[in-house]
Amino acid sequence: LGGAAFHFDTTLGYFTQLSRSKVESAEESDRRYRRYSGLERALGSFDRAEQLIREVYESCFAFGLERQHVAENDGFLKSQSALFAHVDTSASQPVTVQSAIGLIAGIRDEIVSRGSDVFLHSPLDAIRDGIGRRWLAIGGSPSGERLELEADAVVLAVGKIAMPWVLQIIQDLSIAHKESQQVDIGVRIETSRERLDPLVGGCHNPKLSFLNDRRESVRTFCVTVGGRLMQYEFMGFPVLEGQHCMELPTQKTNMGVVTSLRAELGESGTHRALAIGRRVREVGRGKPVVQSVGSLLGVQGWASGDGCGHALNTSLIEYTEGDLRDCLPDHVIKDIVSMLERLNDASPGCIQPDAILAAPVIERIYPEVILSPDMETSQPGIFMVGDCSSKIIGITYGAATGIAAARAIIAQA
Ligand SMILES: Cc1cc2nc3c(=O)[nH]c(=O)nc-3n(C[C@H](O)[C@H](O)[C@H](O)COP(=O)(O)OP(=O)(O)OC[C@H]3O[C@@H](n4cnc5c(N)ncnc54)[C@H](O)[C@@H]3O)c2cc1C
């Protein structure tokens, strides 16, 4: 209960309808790209994915989340089709931490009132073959006692941060999986809210995508207007996210820019992403690496080493000023520069030399676990939902996959 997102103000995606918000290369299509939704792929059909998203929202409202439909003012962005292969402006619902706390408490109370137990602060250590029932889940209770639960089904919903543990479970239980073929790598751009408002201020989370010359998708994601940058440690290196600050907005806006890097033949996307994360750790001496746009582009008076003396204007508290070219592959740098140019073409002057770029953003790093449309692994009764499923990211998506797994377990009981 709770998890990564609800420690902060957040937005829930696809409030009015699910959309195919991403693009990928498709040689056979007339337009040479196709649009898709990760949830649709995970659950096997767009209609099913849309239906489950609707149920997620209805549950949230039933447990006290206030319905807040703010219309998306997306006419300007939608007119930018010359610059972007796709502009997605699906509506989102804002959620403050206060309302999330009420929502989570409501869900917990409902579970308990129906006769179930909720063990908070009780990490699971291992899953083994059970004797009577199929699985034995072993963990620790808050008082330090061992907790052993026999179960017909175990649903792992342990998020991105638990990746080392999930990799161990995949190995221990011989769960079928493939090396990841694609990982999302990039930076976050941060600049003043005033400059980016004409471009993104009218929408909650616009996603702007194009295909690079390697036919990989380059896109913005997780726009936080009036937000701040935050970092956490993942697999031994720092990674970045954008944090909404709805109740106390800042004067800055930031957004992720990532390339969906396709793994080369025989290469593991996970290993490639980990290598990039370690490289940033090295260059940044354990901290994220930040560089001004002016310095990256070599704008006169901004290039590093010419004594420009410009202080970096970022909401990050801990970082190292450095050269992103030392951290990220050249073609990713090229994609970032191309996105900066497109943003400036769409809204002249929105990204100026004093805007900052911070690395690394690393997403979709899990190996591809083979899952049924009900999120069941090759081991009957072991399910993986949410971020750890390797299929999707996001709160509503995660909840939709959780409902799909729950229904399948009930049907099998
Ligand atoms: C700063 C930030 C802002 C974000 N903003 C948004 C947003 O605005 N909108 C959006 O849709 N998404 C947002 N995301 C992404 C979103 O948080 C995730 O996609 C979502 O939380 C995934 O849900 P999950 O249930 O799969 O995993 P998580 O939310 O990560 O939850 C996993 C839970 O499992 C627990 N756990 C881990 N290991 C174990 C174990 N061994 N035993 C028991 N429990 C364990 C963890 O403590 C955690 O509570 C944001 C993420 C971050 C970090």
Side-chain angles (χ1 to χ4, degrees):
L1 285 171
F6 284 169
H7 286 89
F8 319 98
D9 296 339
T10 52
T11 56
L12 299 182
Y14 309 101
F15 179 57
T16 47
Q17 60 181 39
L18 180 64
S19 68
R20 293 188 171 102
S21 62
K22 299 208 177 64
V23 297
E24 65 183 3
S25 172
E27 294 298 339
E28 73 280 10
S29 137
D30 288 351
R31 309 177 79 172
R32 300 188 69 220
Y33 64 86
R34 75 170 82 80
R35 289 170 51 192
Y36 71 98
S37 145
L39 189 65
E40 165 189 23
R41 289 192 171 164
L43 298 175
S45 104
F46 189 86
D47 288 348
R48 183 179 186 223
E50 163 68 17
Q51 173 58 28
L52 285 170
I53 291 282
R54 298 281 68 82
E55 287 187 41
V56 169
Y57 273 106
E58 289 316 315
S59 299
C60 289
F61 298 139
F63 287 111
L65 186 69
E66 204 179 315
R67 200 181 288 262
Q68 274 190 48
H69 184 197
V70 186
E72 304 291 306
N73 182 5
D74 59 1
F76 175 69
L77 276 177
K78 287 281 190 192
S79 66
Q80 302 302 322
S81 56
L83 295 169
F84 300 102
H86 181 51
V87 173
D88 185 272
T89 55
S90 318
S92 297
Q93 150 105 20
V95 183
T96 60
V97 172
Q98 275 313 311
S99 56
I101 289 171
L103 170 67
I104 293 163
I107 294 173
R108 187 201 50 219
D109 292 349
E110 172 80 1
I111 296 170
V112 172
S113 74
R114 287 177 180 241
S116 298
D117 293 315
V118 176
F119 299 98
L120 295 174
H121 310 290
S122 306
L124 203 61
D125 294 330
I127 303 172
R128 307 234 166 88
D129 273 329
I131 303 164
R133 300 176 93 172
R134 189 167 167 80
W135 300 111
L136 188 63
I138 304 163
S141 74
S143 56
E145 286 161 26
R146 294 295 289 167
L147 197 64
E148 292 200 356
L149 302 168
E150 286 188 354
D152 297 318
V154 180
V155 182
L156 297 183
V158 290
K160 172 180 172 184
I161 206 96
M163 185 168 134
W165 185 73
V166 174
L167 294 181
Q168 188 62 49
I169 294 288
I170 288 173
Q171 194 184 330
D172 290 352
L173 301 183
S174 305
I175 288 173
H177 65 284
K178 294 190 288 191
E179 294 294 1
S180 72
Q181 296 301 299
Q182 194 174 289
V183 282
D184 288 354
I185 301 289
V187 294
R188 289 197 80 92
I189 303 174
E190 185 177 52
T191 188
S192 85
R193 180 177 180 171
E194 196 183 356
R195 287 199 199 134
L196 272 175
D197 260 1
L199 187 69
V200 296
C203 296
H204 281 100
N205 187 12
K207 300 174 190 88
L208 314 172
S209 315
F210 67 89
L211 293 186
N212 65 14
D213 49 12
R214 297 153 56 100
R215 311 230 19 99
E216 294 159 328
S217 160
V218 183
R219 64 190 172 92
T220 66
F221 83 106
C222 186
V223 177
T224 59
V225 175
R228 55 184 308 127
L229 296 176
M230 64 86 73
Q231 59 172 291
Y232 56 92
E233 195 180 306
F234 174 70
M235 305 286 287
F237 49 81
V239 285
L240 299 168
E241 301 266 1
Q243 183 185 332
H244 294 279
C245 304
M246 288 163 193
E247 285 179 314
L248 274 177
T250 69
Q251 292 307 308
K252 294 186 193 303
T253 291
N254 71 79
M255 69 176 98
V257 173
V258 288
T259 301
S260 294
L261 283 184
R262 268 199 302 270
E264 309 289 342
L265 202 63
E267 184 196 38
S268 148
T270 306
H271 289 161
R272 191 170 185 198
L274 290 175
I276 291 173
R278 288 189 201 109
R279 179 69 191 143
V280 177
R281 180 183 62 196
E282 212 175 294
V283 174
R285 299 184 298 280
K287 297 176 188 162
V289 173
V290 178
Q291 184 173 26
S292 69
V293 166
S295 162
L296 182 80
L297 300 182
V299 174
Q300 204 181 6
W302 286 85
S304 51
D306 68 358
C308 63
H310 297 291
L312 291 175
N313 191 357
T314 173
S315 60
L316 268 180
I317 296 162
E318 297 246 301
Y319 61 88
T320 299
E321 185 169 0
D323 191 341
L324 292 175
R325 291 180 201 276
D326 290 340
C327 310
L328 300 174
D330 289 347
H331 52 96
V332 174
I333 297 283
K334 196 172 155 199
D335 294 340
I336 294 164
V337 171
S338 183
M339 180 61 88
L340 297 176
E341 286 167 357
R342 283 163 206 252
L343 296 175
N344 267 336
D345 284 348
S347 179
C350 70
I351 306 290
Q352 298 200 12
D354 62 351
I356 66 97
L357 303 166
V361 172
I362 297 182
E363 299 285 356
R364 290 170 213 281
I365 187 172
Y366 268 104
E368 278 180 46
V369 183
I370 313 291
L371 296 176
S372 76
D374 291 325
M375 314 306 287
E376 191 168 14
T377 67
S378 59
Q379 284 291 0
I382 303 286
F383 294 74
M384 290 189 182
V385 305
D387 282 16
C388 78
S389 71
S390 73
K391 310 292 176 216
I392 47 114
I393 300 177
I395 306 164
T396 36
Y397 272 22
T401 56
I403 297 177
R407 295 250 161 83
I409 293 165
I410 291 167
Q412 288 168 15

